[in-house]
């Protein structure tokens, strides 16, 4: 085809974007590193899996339902979520993972020449979705590994449409309390949409963790993200959600894609709303794993970060990419952080007791090889 010139058809912002490359599947990694088993401590998954009621949905799934489209906007699940948090169902929007919900918000409020404001070392999807949509991601450095409220406010200008706050922050585990978030919203004063991404909120046990849904009543520019991937153990089914004031939700709904959440995810998530016993068990597992990792870090002389969430970061005395490869050769997969602008750090998900023990033994062996 002589007339085809790909570069002429691709926008400059897409040409400039460097695509994220996921790791190969576990079976390929096991062969590559010559290990029989691989402990996954890289994606902040819940080792307890889904709640019992959600597992029952999966067990009794009728394969004939795979031929049927899901209900287009998650009617029943939206009402279950709304009932749990004192919202109206029309304030709740579902997506194929929180990533899709992030895209809905950027599409709803941003056009060429606009910018979003977020941190430089946080959940990278805010930055990625803005960049390959032709929207400037304005990145503010963290302060003491946490979101810098004053610097974020200074970064907002007349073309800022959305501010993304990850609370607790992934990967550092830092967090804002209710009073700090309320002060920040007061200072923004409606100049931009403020998204508070609470993917790990269910792990928070501190009494002053924000009640973001209560703040929404006073700040109609606030959007709250949640997910079923972390606490609820449904990462493989890809389902996230957002809540917003009615007018804001109605605006975002214009950019949503009907039928993007599958039937199985809708039914399993509906059964998970909200299993308090599962929350208690998951929090207990996280507390034990955090204490064990803290003891390991102290014994090895490593700095550990991570206040809330099912993960923590360790500062290493050698390159994180080297440690990652050597851990893989011992059957343990953690997250090297150089590509996330945290060189020399390793993020470790809080897995099962056997997985955490395997990680500790492997890390100790790797560091002894220096």
């Amino acid at each position: 085809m002589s007339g085809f010139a790909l570069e002429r058809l691709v926008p400059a912002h897409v040409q400039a974007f460097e695509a994220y490359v996921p790791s190969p599947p576990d079976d390929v990694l096991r062969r590559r590193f010559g290990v029989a088993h691989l402990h996954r401590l890289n994606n902040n998954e819940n080792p307890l899996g889904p709640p019992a009621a959600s597992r029952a949905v999966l067990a009794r799934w009728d394969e004939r339902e795979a031929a049927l489209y899901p209900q287009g906007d998650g009617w029943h699940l939206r009402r279950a979520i709304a009932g749990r948090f004192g919202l109206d169902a029309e304030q709740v929007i579902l997506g194929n993972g929180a990533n899709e919900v992030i895209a809905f918000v950027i599409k709803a409020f941003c056009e060429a020449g606009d910018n979003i404001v977020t941190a430089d070392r946080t959940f990278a999807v805010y930055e990625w979705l803005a960049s390959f949509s032709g929207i400037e991601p304005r990145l503010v450095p963290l302060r003491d590994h946490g979101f810098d409220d004053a610097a974020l406010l200074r970064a907002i200008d007349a073309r800022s449409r959305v501010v993304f706050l990850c609370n607790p922050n992934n990967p550092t585990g830092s967090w804002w309390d209710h009073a700090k978030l309320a002060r920040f919203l007061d200072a923004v004063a409606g100049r931009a949409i403020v998204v508070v991404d609470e993917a790990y909120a269910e792990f928070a046990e501190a009494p002053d963790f924000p009640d973001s849904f209560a703040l929404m009543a006073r700040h109609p520019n606030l959007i709250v993200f949640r997910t079923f991937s972390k606490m609820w153990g449904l990462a493989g089914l890809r389902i996230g959600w957002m809540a917003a004031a009615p007018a804001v939700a109605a605006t975002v709904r214009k950019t949503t894609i009907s039928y993007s959440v599958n039937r199985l995810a809708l039914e399993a998530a509906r059964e998970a709303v909200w299993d308090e016993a599962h929350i208690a068990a998951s929090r207990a597992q996280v507390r034990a794993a955090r204490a064990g990792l803290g003891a390991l870090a102290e014994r090895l002389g490593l700095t550990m970060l991570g206040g809330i969430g099912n993960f923590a970061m360790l500062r290493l005395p050698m390159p994180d990419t080297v440690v990652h490869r050597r851990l893989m050769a011992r059957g343990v997969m953690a997250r090297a952080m150089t590509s996330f602008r945290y060189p020399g750090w390793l993020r470790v998900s809080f897995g099962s007791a056997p997985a955490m023990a395997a990680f500790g033994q492997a890390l100790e062996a790797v560091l002894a090889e220096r």
Side-chain angles (χ1 to χ4, degrees):
M1 185 181 295
S2 59
F4 178 62
L6 178 63
E7 63 278 3
R8 180 178 61 83
L9 302 176
V10 182
H13 59 268
V14 176
Q15 292 187 38
F17 185 78
E18 185 175 343
Y20 172 72
V21 180
S23 64
D26 287 6
D27 60 325
V28 174
L29 290 172
R30 288 195 300 270
R31 290 196 300 271
R32 183 174 296 177
F33 287 93
V35 294
H37 180 77
L38 192 59
H39 292 286
R40 295 171 56 97
L41 300 176
N42 63 315
N43 279 338
N44 301 343
E45 295 152 336
N46 189 337
L48 302 186
S54 298
R55 293 199 302 271
V57 168
L58 304 180
R60 66 173 181 261
W61 174 254
D62 183 346
E63 67 273 11
R64 291 172 296 184
E65 293 190 43
L68 306 177
Y69 282 101
Q71 197 279 320
D73 64 356
W75 198 96
H76 288 298
L77 177 57
R78 288 190 300 109
R79 278 153 181 79
I81 291 170
R84 171 64 176 82
F85 292 105
L87 304 167
D88 186 277
E90 294 307 307
Q91 294 179 256
V92 179
I93 294 174
L94 307 177
N96 188 264
N99 291 358
E100 187 176 56
V101 181
I102 297 168
F104 293 160
V105 170
I106 290 176
K107 286 189 294 183
F109 296 104
C110 299
E111 60 183 348
D114 290 340
N115 66 76
I116 67 155
V117 177
T118 190
D120 63 338
R121 290 179 289 182
T122 188
F123 187 51
V125 176
Y126 319 134
E127 176 187 349
W128 295 344
L129 280 168
S131 294
F132 63 61
S133 301
I135 308 301
E136 176 197 356
R138 190 164 292 180
L139 306 181
V140 175
L142 296 179
R143 183 177 64 190
D144 297 327
H145 306 290
F147 274 74
D148 185 337
D149 52 343
L152 289 166
L153 290 168
R154 289 194 298 270
I156 297 172
D157 65 15
R159 296 304 299 267
S160 300
R161 294 294 179 261
V162 186
V163 179
F164 286 98
L165 307 174
C166 191
N167 196 51
N169 186 38
N170 175 18
T172 64
S174 61
W175 58 284
W176 287 4
D177 62 20
H178 187 93
K180 185 168 186 177
L181 178 56
R183 288 194 301 270
F184 182 79
L185 290 165
D186 286 339
V188 172
R191 289 175 291 154
I193 295 292
V194 176
V195 170
V196 180
D197 185 344
E198 296 184 338
Y200 299 92
E202 289 89 1
F203 293 101
E205 299 188 67
D208 55 347
F209 190 80
D211 182 348
S212 299
F213 300 110
L215 289 171
M216 195 181 293
R218 213 175 88 219
H219 299 281
N221 60 319
L222 174 61
I223 293 176
V224 179
F225 286 173
R226 292 285 181 100
T227 181
F228 287 94
S229 294
K230 305 305 179 185
M231 171 61 77
W232 305 108
L234 296 175
L237 295 185
R238 311 305 303 128
I239 180 166
W241 59 278
M242 60 157 276
V248 171
T251 299
V252 174
R253 189 167 286 107
K254 295 178 181 181
T255 70
T256 62
I257 302 170
S258 297
Y259 306 103
S260 72
V261 180
N262 67 76
R263 292 175 67 90
L264 193 53
L266 290 172
E267 292 182 27
R270 184 182 174 192
E271 291 299 325
V273 181
W274 296 95
D275 187 325
E276 296 296 335
H278 182 77
I279 291 177
S282 297
R283 286 176 174 177
Q285 182 270 328
V286 163
R287 286 195 299 270
R290 179 179 282 115
L293 189 64
L296 175 71
E298 184 174 1
R299 188 170 75 252
L300 298 179
L302 306 177
T303 298
M304 175 172 151
L305 283 180
I308 294 179
N310 60 341
F311 59 89
M313 292 214 303
L314 298 177
R315 188 167 191 172
L316 304 169
M318 57 192 293
D320 55 300
T321 51
V322 173
V323 172
H324 174 265
R325 288 196 301 272
R326 294 181 181 177
L327 288 174
M328 291 289 290
R330 290 170 169 81
V332 178
M333 189 176 185
R335 178 75 73 177
M337 296 304 291
T338 290
S339 61
F340 291 81
R341 304 191 181 106
Y342 257 107
W345 290 80
L346 194 72
R347 193 190 69 192
V348 185
S349 306
F350 294 149
S352 65
M356 298 306 293
F359 170 78
Q361 293 167 6
L363 181 64
E364 195 157 7
V366 167
L367 296 184
E369 293 174 348
R370 283 188 294 146

